[in-house]
Amino acid sequence: NMVSFTNTAVSLFGARMVVPGTGILLQNGMIWFDPEPGRVNSVAAGKRPLVNMVPVLGFRKGEPLFTLGAPGGRKIVAVVPQVISNMTDAGDAPQAAVEAPRLYTEGGELLVDDRIGEAAVTGLRKRKHPVTPKHCSVGNFFFARPIAIRVTRKGLEAGLDATSDASAAGV
């Protein structure tokens, strides 16, 4: 069996309400709506906000191959395909796939992990991308922080973001 789990209260302490007698903290998913009227993700009757949770189970020929998830709010949607591509297209082990420099944009400013290098930043700027290099550390949250576990013939391999307090477990 495999599990990929995105547990989120959305913002710190969620809705700041606990269901009496349960200890369950309610999340505040309304924050995902755009407060500006007339936009794609604006608050309106019958609409649902965007969903940023992207837990992934990867299979090869019906057999478990990897599981992947990440905390990181809206930035989860960008990091998950990057890590999947690193593992499946580039053949990276989970740790290398998770540690690779990241990109993030919602259509305006392009945040790039400063480990991408000055040549790549220059190349993106030449292509007119509004690039802003960011340095990742424990104290900031410019990008989501993925966690991956891959199933191999020799056992399980994990990949953890060094800037988070995440852990991976397998039996």
Side-chain angles (χ1 to χ4, degrees), residues 77-102:
V77 177
V79 77
V80 167
Q82 290 174 56
V83 173
I84 290 171
S85 178
N86 292 343
M87 288 195 306
T88 60
D89 299 329
D92 289 348
Q95 188 62 44
V98 165
E99 286 180 347
R102 298 189 192 88

Side-chain angles (χ1 to χ4, degrees), residues 70-147:
R74 297 170 81 109
K75 296 169 181 170
I76 295 170
V77 177
V79 77
V80 167
Q82 290 174 56
V83 173
I84 290 171
S85 178
N86 292 343
M87 288 195 306
T88 60
D89 299 329
D92 289 348
Q95 188 62 44
V98 165
E99 286 180 347
R102 298 189 192 88
L103 307 170
Y104 177 76
T105 187
E106 286 189 19
E109 178 184 40
L110 175 61
L111 302 181
V112 297
D113 187 324
D114 63 1
R115 296 173 299 147
I116 200 168
E118 192 55 42
V121 170
T122 300
L124 289 166
R125 285 186 175 140
K126 282 182 182 177
R127 291 169 180 81
K128 307 296 183 205
H129 293 287
V131 178
T132 304
K134 296 290 185 179
H135 178 71
C136 296
S137 70
V138 174
N140 60 46
F141 215 66
F142 297 119
F143 304 97
R145 296 182 170 157
I147 303 151

Side-chain angles (χ1 to χ4, degrees), residues 139-159:
N140 60 46
F141 215 66
F142 297 119
F143 304 97
R145 296 182 170 157
I147 303 151
I149 299 174
R150 180 168 66 180
V151 180
T152 71
R153 289 187 177 121
K154 295 179 181 179
L156 302 175
E157 298 174 339

Side-chain angles (χ1 to χ4, degrees), residues 35-53:
E36 297 293 325
R39 294 187 182 170
V40 173
N41 201 41
S42 297
V43 178
K47 290 184 80 175
R48 296 180 181 159
L50 70 88
V51 176
N52 65 304
M53 295 165 279

Side-chain angles (χ1 to χ4, degrees), residues 13-27:
F13 300 112
R16 294 173 178 80
M17 296 177 68
V18 175
V19 177
T22 67
I24 296 173
L25 178 67
L26 297 177
Q27 59 98 329

